[in-house]
Amino acid sequence: MVSYLSAGLLVLISAGKLLASRGGPPSPGMRYLIGFFLSLAASLAISADPTTPLILAVEPFPLTGRLVTNMLQLLAAHFLVRLARSTQTPQPRTRWWPLLLCWAVMTGLMIHLTGKLPEYQARGGTELAWYPSIAGYQAVLVGYGVGCLVLFTRVIFRHARQCPRGSFRTGLFVIALAGATTVAWGLLAGLPSVWLVLTGSGLELFMPVARGLGLAVALLWVSGAVLTTWHGLIERPRRWLAAYRGYRAVTPLWTALVTALPRISLTRLTAWPHRVEFALYRRLIEIRDGFLALRGQVPPEVAGWVAESARRHGVAEAPAVLAAAGLAAALAVRETGHSWPQPPVAAAGSVASIEAETAWLTEVSAAFSGSPVVADVRAQAGATYVTAPQVA
């Protein structure tokens, strides 16, 4: 049952990737990945215990189910090589004839083995592992499969190191780990007679270990596929939480500016509670509009006031504190009609990201609400331009 569930999960992953292509033809890399998943799913379904009686009823010769399972596993390894090479430019060509040759040799050896099986079993013992049919079959199976997996793992690991940090890169590393684990599983499951000779155990102990490792390998492949295919669903909660924290952090500064300057509020752009990223973006715009609207009313003494207050409180003159102090002073004196010429706004050297803007305005908002330096500047501006007598 576990094998069927794993196979069904691989089929669902393949269907999800086809749906992700939005009805268009999948890319070559997507086709290779789907081919790998479907081949692996078919091999798991055929090798499952409930399927064995069905195969025994129709098989043309003994061990047909084993042969078909191994052929599907080599087909999956072939698709892995094509998938890995699709990430390279120019893409190296992968030929079919080595796989077809391996299939033909394995079929011939299996037919020869089934004809000699009674004789082999009669002579049996530990020498059974070294008969030509068995040794040759396992050598072809393991040699082709492990070679493909080693090539795939090396290429994918190099490609993952070049990708930016995120769940997609993590998924590629998980897939590379799955490839390396599959090599170990292939060496174990593909050489059963050798390991039986080396360990002295029987099939009743060997098969559960091989099947359990195979299921663990399948889970690794599925985990890597989920991380690389549906990374947006995984990262969206983190983005939402970061946006919500930024939204709450800039709210004190935004509230003070919108209360004093209602015209900066973008009343036509409503945001639902679940659209917190949009709501944050709107508040950042409104705060920047407030900066521009109050720019001409920042007293020229603000820099000096900040330096003096910072020395008195024993704190550094942080840029965020200076920006918050300028806003606090401008809000304190704006009703008096005072204004001062300001230098032109310098052009930005690069396009700031939402994350960088949120981090900067979060610092300004925290200073605006809680810095003693800003409180001193606010009081100094009020005492100088609001309550002081005006000189004609």
Side-chain angles (χ1 to χ4, degrees), residues 124-388:
T126 58
E127 298 179 358
L128 186 63
W130 314 115
Y131 282 116
S133 298
I134 298 176
Y137 183 92
Q138 294 179 3
V140 173
L141 173 65
V142 174
Y144 183 86
V146 169
C148 291
L149 287 168
V150 169
L151 174 62
F152 168 82
T153 302
R154 185 173 67 250
V155 173
I156 290 300
F157 182 77
R158 290 177 179 175
H159 181 66
R161 294 179 62 183
Q162 299 173 356
C163 294
R165 294 183 179 273
S167 58
F168 180 79
R169 184 190 187 195
T170 302
L172 289 181
F173 279 125
V174 172
I175 289 176
L177 176 61
T181 309
T182 308
V183 170
W185 174 61
L187 291 174
L188 175 67
L191 301 171
S193 55
V194 174
W195 294 110
L196 292 178
V197 171
L198 294 177
T199 60
S201 60
L203 287 175
E204 66 278 2
L205 296 177
F206 174 82
M207 292 307 296
V209 174
R211 186 172 296 127
L213 182 57
L215 293 176
V217 167
L219 289 177
L220 280 176
W221 285 110
V222 170
S223 300
V226 169
L227 287 171
T228 54
T229 303
W230 295 322
H231 57 94
L233 294 178
I234 298 173
E235 294 178 341
R236 190 172 296 126
R238 180 180 59 83
R239 292 198 306 267
W240 185 93
L241 182 60
Y244 178 75
R245 288 175 175 173
Y247 179 86
R248 293 291 303 272
V250 302
T251 293
L253 179 60
W254 173 85
T255 301
L257 291 176
V258 170
T259 300
L261 304 168
R263 65 180 183 276
I264 68 173
S265 176
L266 303 174
T267 54
R268 295 183 179 181
L269 299 180
T270 59
W272 296 97
H274 66 279
R275 297 290 305 278
V276 65
E277 294 179 70
F278 176 81
L280 171 63
Y281 184 62
R282 169 183 165 176
R283 291 206 166 178
L284 297 181
I285 294 175
E286 292 172 342
I287 291 174
R288 278 300 179 183
D289 288 345
F291 267 93
L292 293 175
L294 295 173
R295 187 167 171 270
Q297 295 175 293
V298 177
E301 301 94 343
V302 166
W305 293 340
V306 168
E308 180 183 351
S309 178
R311 285 194 301 270
R312 187 166 58 253
H313 290 283
V315 297
E317 299 178 40
V321 174
L322 180 60
L327 286 177
L331 289 173
V333 305
R334 74 180 194 88
E335 295 295 340
T336 66
H338 286 84
S339 63
W340 296 269
Q342 299 291 327
V345 179
S350 61
V351 178
S353 64
I354 298 297
E355 293 77 11
E357 185 74 359
T358 302
W360 163 248
L361 292 182
T362 295
E363 293 183 30
V364 176
S365 181
F368 184 86
S369 302
S371 172
V373 175
V374 175
D376 287 350
V377 170
R378 183 185 292 111
Q380 186 69 37
T384 304
Y385 294 102
V386 179
T387 60

